Amino acid sequence: MSTIPVYIPKDRLQDYVVTPAPSAEQMDRYHVVQLEESLLENLGPDHVFDPEQSTFVTGVFRLANRQRAAIETALATALRAGMPYTLPDGNEDVIQTRPDEDEANLLGLAIEARDRRAAGDTDASMALRARSNTVYSLTPEQMIALTDAAKAFKQGLLAKSWQLKDAITAAEAAGDREAIQAVVWEASASAA
């Protein structure tokens, strides 16, 4: 097994079990520890300095949490971007799917459309304002198709985020830094 020198800041030394005990000179600022590379990732969430790379190395726990946060940010961004959709009149627009602003509106439109369809209503009198600020008039059937597509859009994004976060968790459990770093949210070609 190869070893790597790790510099642990003096004020963080108590967080680690270090043997042999550091000398007075080493305790002055840093303690240099020769560790097996496989143990480097298990030092915990703090950053440690790797002099061979002349950089600070992030612990696996912190790296995994950063990747999960990046996935959450990408999910929120995708939901804010909305769902590209071809309206019944052939126009391309974006249906807004922001969780705090639009989700309740879409749910209300879906319920109303189903109620109106059950009552036999087929008029194109349901209004929907898309991201372009254009108001479209839809029949209940068209509104149901649109809101079902928006629901599937969100469910697809959630499933993607769960799959990526599960991959991060598996890589974290294996202590695989490279696998954690490889887990990224790829924007779809259809994203607006």
Side-chain angles (χ1 to χ4, degrees):
M1 294 244 164
S2 62
T3 62
I4 187 166
V6 177
Y7 289 67
I8 300 174
K10 180 182 172 186
D11 63 338
R12 302 302 296 165
L13 195 57
Q14 73 278 1
D15 293 350
Y16 305 100
V17 175
V18 179
T19 55
S23 69
E25 183 178 310
Q26 290 172 323
M27 282 294 291
D28 187 37
R29 182 147 186 237
Y30 289 101
H31 178 61
V32 181
V33 184
Q34 292 288 330
L35 293 176
E36 291 180 9
E37 287 186 50
S38 63
L39 296 177
L40 181 61
E41 287 81 21
N42 298 320
L43 286 175
D46 295 306
H47 291 79
V48 291
F49 187 72
D50 176 354
E52 288 183 15
Q53 297 179 28
S54 296
T55 187
F56 280 90
V57 177
T58 305
V60 170
F61 173 78
R62 182 165 292 189
L63 179 62
N65 282 340
R66 269 201 309 222
Q67 289 300 94
R68 284 186 197 95
I71 298 303
E72 284 296 319
T73 299
L75 171 62
T77 299
L79 287 169
R80 278 193 311 275
M83 175 187 71
Y85 193 77
T86 303
L87 280 297
D89 66 1
N91 284 325
E92 294 284 329
D93 212 326
V94 175
I95 307 307
Q96 296 174 308
T97 57
R98 299 167 297 186
D100 294 338
E101 295 91 348
D102 304 307
E103 194 168 354
N105 288 339
L106 290 170
L107 179 60
L109 289 169
I111 292 168
E112 180 184 354
R114 283 171 171 73
D115 289 348
R116 289 175 70 171
R117 178 180 66 181
D121 185 354
T122 58
D123 290 340
S125 60
M126 295 192 73
L128 175 92
R129 184 180 302 270
R131 186 168 70 190
S132 68
N133 223 16
T134 302
V135 177
Y136 297 94
S137 293
L138 305 175
T139 66
E141 283 298 326
Q142 293 167 335
M143 187 63 77
I144 291 168
L146 183 145
T147 55
D148 284 352
K151 178 178 69 176
F153 173 77
K154 180 176 181 177
Q155 288 172 338
L157 292 175
L158 287 171
K160 178 179 179 175
S161 75
W162 295 332
Q163 177 187 20
L164 294 172
K165 287 188 266 182
D166 288 348
I168 292 167
T169 299
E172 180 184 15
D176 190 340
R177 297 174 58 76
E178 289 177 8
I180 293 169
Q181 292 171 322
V183 178
V184 295
W185 184 284
E186 299 287 339
S188 68
S190 65

